[in-house]
Amino acid sequence: MLLRRCGTDALLVEVDSLTEVAAVRAALQDLDGIEELVPAARTVLVKGELQQVRRALEGIDLTRAPATHPREMTIPVTYDGPDLALVAETAGITEDEVVSLHTGATYEVAFCGFAPGFGYLTGLPQNLQQPRLDSPRTKVPQGSVGIAGEFTAAYPRATPGGWRLIGRTEITLFDPKAETPALLQPGDQVRFVTA
């Protein structure tokens, strides 16, 4: 674990894996004096009382995140995405099997980024883990559900993107007027179900 000072009241905690990010997030999320906690793929930015943060990080077990009580979210999906056949062909399975595998897993929001409300979800079954498209789309419709590498996600708004799109959801993933604008938060558990 490497700690880098960011300004006067923040630290960037650099680690080697998503598991270590989850361990750092879990160790800090309920700490008094934390103003902001922003996990990413291999870092956690924390703003708050730095001495307290440093003490909390001493001796934590980075090999696993402590047990938590995550929120459980269900996202209904219509599985008719433009890349569903490609995903099935690449995996060597049928489209129905892609849907069954995708809905049969429980995912965790590892971190949010790329666009407001875009949650990177881990837990994608191994045979659905596929690369991004060779040529990204200039516009992915809001609500599109896709896969890329070890992640799955739903696009909270229309943006460019290179993920393989397998379906779409009507659920609102980001509402700037809501008390908590992003529906998905790091640590949440997510299940996809057929709409």
Side-chain angles (χ1 to χ4, degrees), residues 80-152:
D80 61 356
D83 302 317
L84 183 59
L86 171 63
V87 169
E89 180 183 337
T90 303
I93 58 179
T94 68
E95 292 179 22
D96 286 342
E97 289 171 316
V98 170
V99 173
S100 180
L101 285 169
H102 196 255
T103 57
T106 299
Y107 303 93
E108 181 176 339
V109 180
F111 57 95
C112 296
F114 170 64
F118 190 98
Y120 287 79
L121 310 180
T122 58
L124 187 66
Q126 181 69 37
N127 43 349
L128 293 184
Q129 296 182 16
Q130 300 182 12
R132 289 173 167 78
L133 297 172
D134 291 335
S135 179
R137 292 177 170 88
T138 56
K139 186 176 181 182
V140 173
Q142 178 177 327
S144 294
V145 175
I147 60 173
E150 65 184 296
F151 301 108
T152 188

